[in-house]
């Protein structure tokens, strides 16, 4: 067998990789499975996006390579949306990079900035593309445990100065998956200032910028003075428009940083399907008619989840953003054991905190990806497992 590269050998398993197979097995045995695992809602995308995709698919020019430029109308729709949503002026040709989902851009970016001996700060629990990208680039991950003590924020003062001097990339994601934490503006100001001092690229993952409740409006990192010099922000249609499978996102950054990502991508892909980019235009343009109602659906699911999991004996706070509850477990129950029992005995899929890295142990994540009724039923089943495991302690 040909030898594998060291960087591949140290990669952990991707947490969601085995769940579809497990689900199939259970469904085959007649189990009524409730899947609150992946952040992948059962809701429909905007009808205008579906129509635009169908129409574009029938247009021969849309079926050709998109290359790095892609569909200029998609870039322009993104620039108009960034202006409308955050009040930012962004050049559609030089400051936006269309992506095949934001995960693609986030993980590929590391290839340009990391190398042996150079550190990427990875908040954990966190989205797995940060560590995956850093490790595939042979960079050195520095895992920072997100805990309640810092309100699940990365406090750069906790990190040794020597480490910071070797750091090239800091990954931040607020509103946060999986903790649902949000970042106050003064925190973002401090981080941007530190990244400028230390010459660190701030990768700001804003995949949940539109899934916010109770009047909270998440900012763009570019609303913070000085961010243009050091930050790249990632956006996605996946969660905002229920378009996870379409693979449609983008990054925003200065022309210098954007051109770095464009160059990496020019060697690994040839652009997203342009019909999907045309659908992206339709989605962005349907923001006012689609997004508020979609967010209201998630809010109703959140309220049902908070109420039902609390009634089932868990302690959970109502998150102001994202599609997740991050629920602590009693000390004697590990998250892996809890999730395993829950799927095997009750047919409910949740994500054990340990799947998200070092700081994730002691919690599990619930996604609001199905109806309030099914979420309530899942909470009752989870409560039964909690009781069983607590009695057994
Ligand atoms: C924090 C975060 N960033 C990025 C993504 C990736 O989204 P996309 O579908 O655009 O690749 C996800 C998806 O779950 C996520 O949770």
């Amino acid at each position: 067998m040909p030898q594998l590269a060291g960087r591949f050998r140290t990669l952990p398993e991707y947490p969601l990789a085995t769940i579809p197979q497990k689900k199939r097995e259970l469904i085959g045995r007649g189990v009524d499975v409730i899947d609150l695992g992946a952040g992948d809602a059962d809701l429909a995308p905007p009808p205008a996006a579906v129509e635009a995709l169908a129409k574009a698919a029938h247009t021969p020019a849309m079926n050709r390579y998109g290359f790095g430029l892609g569909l200029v109308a998609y870039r322009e729709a993104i620039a108009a949306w960034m202006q409308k949503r955050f009040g930012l002026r962004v050049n559609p040709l030089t400051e936006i990079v269309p992506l095949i989902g934001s995960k693609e851009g986030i993980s590929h970016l590391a290839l340009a900035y990391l190398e042996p001996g150079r550190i990427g700060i990875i908040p954990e629990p966190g989205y797995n593309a940060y560590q995956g990208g850093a490790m595939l680039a042979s960079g050195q991950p520095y895992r920072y445990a997100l805990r309640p003590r810092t309100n699940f924020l990365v406090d750069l003062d906790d990190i040794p100065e020597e480490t910071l001097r070797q750091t090239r990339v800091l990954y931040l994601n607020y509103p946060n998956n999986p903790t649902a934490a949000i970042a106050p503006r003064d925190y973002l100001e401090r981080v941007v200032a530190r990244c400028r001092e230390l010459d660190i690229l701030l990768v700001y993952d804003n995949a949940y910028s539109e899934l916010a409740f109770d009047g909270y409006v998440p900012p763009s990192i570019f609303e913070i003075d000085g961010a243009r010099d050091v930050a790249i922000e990632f956006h996605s249609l996946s969660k905002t428009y229920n378009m996870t499978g379409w693979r449609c996102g983008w990054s925003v950054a200065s022309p210098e940083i954007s051109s770095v990502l464009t160059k990496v991508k020019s060697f690994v892909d040839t652009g997203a399907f342009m019909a999907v980019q045309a659908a992206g235009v339709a989605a962005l343009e349907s923001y006012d008619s689609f997004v508020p109602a979609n967010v209201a659906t998630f809010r109703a699911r959140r309220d049902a989840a908070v109420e039902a999991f609390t009634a089932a004996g868990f302690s959970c706070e109502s998150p102001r953003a994202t599609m997740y509850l991050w629920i602590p477990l009693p000390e004697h129950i590990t998250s892996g054991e809890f999730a395993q029992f829950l799927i095997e005995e009750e047919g409910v899929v949740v994500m054990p905190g340990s799947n998200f890295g070092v700081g994730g142990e002691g919690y599990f994540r619930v996604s609001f990806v199905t109806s309030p009724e099914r979420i309530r039923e899942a909470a009752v089943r989870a409560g039964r497992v909690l009781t069983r495991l607590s009695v057994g302690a």
Side-chain angles (χ1 to χ4, degrees):
M1 274 288 277
Q3 286 265 316
L4 292 166
R7 62 176 172 270
F8 181 86
R9 276 187 268 118
T10 56
L11 271 182
E13 278 309 313
Y14 197 80
L16 288 168
T18 55
I19 289 177
Q21 181 57 25
K22 181 81 217 167
K23 258 177 77 176
R24 260 175 68 91
E25 241 176 77
L26 290 170
I27 292 167
R29 279 200 257 139
V31 176
D32 171 31
V33 173
I34 306 177
D35 186 352
L36 307 181
D40 192 3
D42 59 352
L43 301 166
V50 178
E51 280 155 31
L53 172 71
K55 189 166 163 231
H58 286 288
T59 308
M62 291 285 191
N63 289 275
R64 304 184 69 190
Y65 286 127
F67 294 109
L69 178 64
L71 194 68
V72 171
Y74 179 50
R75 289 171 173 266
E76 288 168 348
I78 292 166
W81 186 84
M82 294 295 294
Q83 164 95 58
K84 175 182 148 107
R85 175 62 178 79
F86 304 112
L88 298 169
R89 289 172 65 83
V90 176
N91 183 312
L93 295 180
T94 59
E95 296 183 309
I96 288 167
V97 181
L99 301 171
I100 310 171
S102 62
K103 179 184 195 179
E104 176 266 301
I106 291 168
S107 52
H108 280 142
L109 183 69
L111 292 170
Y113 287 95
L114 292 178
E115 58 195 330
R118 294 295 157 190
I119 292 171
I121 297 176
I122 319 284
E124 289 189 352
Y127 185 51
N128 288 278
Y130 315 141
Q131 69 155 337
M135 292 172 82
L136 286 170
S138 301
Q140 190 180 325
Y142 177 89
R143 300 170 197 285
Y144 180 96
L146 296 182
R147 303 300 294 182
R149 174 181 68 81
T150 61
N151 297 321
F152 300 108
L153 299 168
V154 175
D155 183 351
L156 290 178
D157 293 341
D158 284 344
I159 299 175
E161 198 61 36
E162 180 52 28
T163 302
L164 290 175
R165 271 198 296 273
Q166 305 299 317
T167 297
R168 286 249 178 90
V169 181
L170 165 63
Y171 296 90
L172 286 188
N173 162 228
Y174 298 102
N176 183 258
N177 169 18
T179 67
I182 57 178
R185 196 169 281 260
D186 63 330
Y187 167 78
L188 295 176
E189 284 165 2
R190 285 199 305 280
V191 169
V192 166
R194 280 299 267 153
C195 286
R196 284 167 62 94
E197 272 164 37
L198 293 156
D199 237 348
I200 292 175
L201 178 72
L202 174 55
V203 174
Y204 197 75
D205 179 358
N206 218 342
Y208 297 91
S209 66
E210 308 314 301
L211 277 192
F213 316 110
D214 312 329
Y216 175 60
V217 182
S220 162
I221 196 68
F222 297 115
E223 291 175 41
I224 307 299
D225 275 350
R228 290 247 179 181
D229 296 339
V230 287
I232 179 165
E233 178 162 284
F234 286 90
H235 285 273
S236 171
L237 297 186
S238 290
K239 318 289 173 170
T240 310
Y241 294 99
N242 312 324
M243 288 170 67
T244 49
W246 296 53
R247 316 310 304 129
C248 202
W250 68 88
S251 66
V252 177
S254 66
E256 294 72 24
I257 297 173
S258 297
S259 68
V260 169
L261 180 56
T262 299
K263 185 168 181 184
V264 173
K265 282 173 58 60
S266 69
F267 287 95
V268 291
D269 68 71
T270 315
F273 183 19
M274 284 202 285
V276 167
Q277 298 187 47
V281 175
L284 289 166
E285 289 177 350
S286 68
Y287 188 87
D288 293 339
S289 61
F290 184 82
V291 175
N294 201 44
V295 172
T297 301
F298 280 106
R299 194 185 54 232
R301 292 172 170 203
R302 175 203 65 171
D303 292 345
V306 171
E307 202 189 301
F309 277 88
T310 305
F314 297 93
S315 112
C316 36
E317 282 173 29
S318 186
R320 294 175 71 193
T322 76
M323 50 167 79
Y324 307 116
L325 279 190
W326 185 238
I327 304 179
L329 284 163
E331 246 173 51
H332 63 277
I333 305 176
T334 67
S335 60
E337 169 190 30
F338 179 76
Q340 181 76 15
F341 258 78
L342 190 51
I343 191 167
E344 294 287 351
E345 300 205 354
E346 297 282 359
V348 174
V349 181
V350 297
M351 296 293 286
S354 55
N355 274 7
F356 295 96
V358 287
E361 189 48 87
Y363 290 79
F364 69 101
R365 189 192 79 178
V366 162
S367 305
F368 315 146
V369 289
T370 185
S371 67
E373 295 69 39
R374 296 291 280 167
I375 291 174
R376 284 192 200 101
E377 167 64 21
V380 169
R381 298 187 198 177
R384 284 201 290 260
V385 169
L386 180 67
T387 308
R388 256 176 266 155
L389 289 175
S390 300
V391 169

